[in-house]
Amino acid sequence: MGKVRSILARASAPRVFIPVAVAVVAVVAVIALLIVPRRGGSPKATPRPTPSPTRHVARQLLSPFTGEPVKSLGPVLAVKIDNIAAARPPTGLTDADIVYLLPVEGGLSRILAIFSTHFPPVIGPVRSSREDDLELLRQFGRPAFAYSGAQPQLVPVVHNARIVDLYAGIVGGYFRDPNRLAPHNLYAHTQQLLAEAHGASTAHNIGFRFGPPPADGTVTASASAAYSAASFTFRWSAAKAKWLVWMDGTPAGTTEDGQLSAATVVIQYTTVRTSRFLEEGVPPPYAETTGSGPALVLRDGKEWHANWSRPNANGGTTFTTTTTTRQPMTFARGQVWIVLAAR
C-alpha cells in the first residue's frame, strides 16, 4: 500500500521541461526578429552613385590651307594674278590662304592665289592662264578658277578641265580700272565671282600639316629664290612674326594692307620644262607639281631642308623633314607662300 502511494505521488507531481522551454523561447525570439521590422523601417540599400553625363567637347574646325580656326569650310576660289612691275601692287592678296609663284615666259612670274577662308571685295589684276595651272589646281578638287583668258589652243583645254570656269569672257564680275594701263587693269568683284561658282569644291586636305615646328631648324634672317628676270626674298620680322616679301629688290606691297607677308614660305624645287602651248611664238615654262623633290621651308625665323611628294595630280602635296625619322614638316598657322623653282 505504501508503494502504491509513492507511485501515485510521483505520477501526480508536475513535470518540468526547462531545457525544451528555453529552446522554444529562443526560436520564437529569432523568428520575431526576422518578421518584426526594426524601428525606423526596413534597412535601405546603399545608393549607387549616379554616373556623370559624358561631355562631348566640340572639336575646333581648322582650315586645311592655313591651319587657322574657321566657322565653316568655304568654296575654293583660285585667281591668276599679274606680277610684273607694271601690275603692282596687287589687290586682295593679303586675304589669300595660299599664294603660289609660278614662272612664265620671259623669265617673269605670275601668281596663282587660293582663297577659301576670307574673300576680299576686289581681286586683281587678273591675267591669263597657263597650262601648268591645271595640274596644280587638280589637288583642290573642282575649284572655281578666275582668269582673263588663254592662248587660243589652250582655251578649250582650260574649259574642259576639272574647274568651275570663271573665264572673264563668259562670266560677269570683271571690270577695268581706268587709272591703270591695260592689260594690267582687269579686276574682279569677288562676290560676283562666287555667285557664278556653282558646284565649286569646298576646302579639304591637300597634304599640309600645321603645328609646332620640328626640331633642328636653323636660324636664318632671309632666303631667296629667282627666275631669270624675277627675284623673291623673304625676310624674317620678329616684330610681326612673319616673313616679309620682297620682289625684284623692293618691298612687295598691296593696295590695302602694306607689305605682303607670310607665316610659312616654301621654296619647292621641281622640274621646269616647256609647255606645248606657245605664247607669242615661244613655249612658256611648265613647272611640274607632281612627283617629288627637295624644298626649303621657312617658319618662325628658321629654315628646314625638306622633301615634297605628290604622287599623282588628284592628291595633295606632303612635306617631310630630311632627317632619318622623316617627320611631317609642319607649317606655322597662317598664309602660306609657295615658290615653284627649278631644281
Side-chain angles (χ1 to χ4, degrees):
M1 194 67 181
K3 288 183 179 179
V4 172
R5 289 194 186 100
S6 176
I7 293 170
L8 290 174
R10 288 197 298 270
S12 61
R15 295 179 181 179
V16 179
F17 301 97
I18 293 175
V20 174
V22 171
V24 170
V25 171
V27 171
V28 171
V30 170
I31 294 173
L33 288 173
L34 294 174
I35 296 176
V36 179
R38 294 179 182 178
R39 183 175 296 175
S42 59
K44 296 181 179 180
T46 303
R48 294 180 179 178
T50 303
S52 300
T54 303
R55 294 183 63 187
H56 297 283
V57 180
R59 188 175 181 181
Q60 177 67 65
L61 183 63
L62 302 176
S63 164
F65 299 164
T66 67
E68 296 175 313
V70 293
K71 292 182 179 179
S72 61
L73 298 177
V76 180
L77 172 64
V79 184
K80 197 65 180 286
I81 297 177
D82 204 349
N83 196 38
I84 67 170
R88 299 172 187 160
T91 295
L93 202 56
T94 54
D95 282 325
D97 290 346
I98 309 169
V99 177
Y100 290 96
L101 287 165
L102 296 93
V104 293
E105 58 279 2
L108 299 169
S109 70
R110 282 195 184 165
I111 292 170
L112 184 59
I114 308 297
F115 299 86
S116 183
T117 304
H118 307 287
F119 297 98
V122 173
I123 302 173
V126 180
R127 286 305 304 270
S128 56
S129 176
R130 296 292 181 271
E131 184 186 7
D132 52 3
D133 296 335
L134 305 180
E135 181 180 272
L136 176 57
L137 288 174
R138 284 179 63 181
Q139 64 189 315
F140 295 98
R142 187 171 180 255
F145 182 32
Y147 61 105
S148 66
Q151 69 100 279
Q153 287 73 38
L154 180 58
V155 168
V157 178
V158 180
H159 287 336
N160 292 320
R162 193 178 64 193
I163 59 169
V164 176
D165 196 349
L166 299 182
Y167 167 42
I170 60 174
V171 302
Y174 293 91
F175 66 95
R176 295 281 179 182
D177 181 352
N179 297 315
R180 289 204 177 194
L181 295 175
H184 318 295
N185 64 346
L186 182 66
Y187 292 81
H189 293 292
T190 311
Q191 290 305 315
Q192 286 183 256
L193 292 181
L194 292 173
E196 303 264 9
H198 305 294
S201 300
T202 55
H204 63 265
N205 177 25
I206 58 167
F208 294 178
R209 295 293 178 266
F210 297 88
D216 302 327
T218 302
V219 175
T220 186
S222 66
S224 299
Y227 305 147
S228 61
S231 64
F232 318 101
T233 298
F234 304 93
R235 298 179 179 175
W236 176 247
S237 169
K240 293 188 175 183
K242 290 183 178 181
W243 297 91
L244 302 182
V245 182
W246 293 61
M247 293 187 184
D248 302 327
T250 60
T254 66
T255 60
E256 70 276 0
D257 194 28
Q259 189 170 1
L260 290 164
S261 62
T264 302
V265 176
V266 179
I267 301 174
Q268 182 175 334
Y269 297 100
T270 186
T271 299
V272 179
R273 56 178 175 84
T274 55
S275 172
R276 56 198 170 117
F277 298 98
L278 303 182
E279 295 289 338
E280 298 181 357
V282 178
Y286 182 114
E288 295 184 356
T289 51
T290 57
S292 60
L296 184 70
V297 179
L298 310 175
R299 61 164 295 179
D300 303 320
K302 296 181 178 181
E303 68 177 25
W304 283 261
H305 292 278
N307 293 311
W308 66 271
S309 176
R310 185 183 175 206
N312 64 79
N314 291 324
T317 308
T318 58
F319 295 87
T320 55
T321 62
T322 56
T323 60
T324 54
T325 56
R326 292 296 179 96
Q327 303 174 47
M329 182 61 241
T330 49
F331 294 172
R333 302 186 192 281
Q335 191 180 75
V336 178
W337 279 58
I338 299 178
V339 184
L340 296 175
R343 61 174 110 210

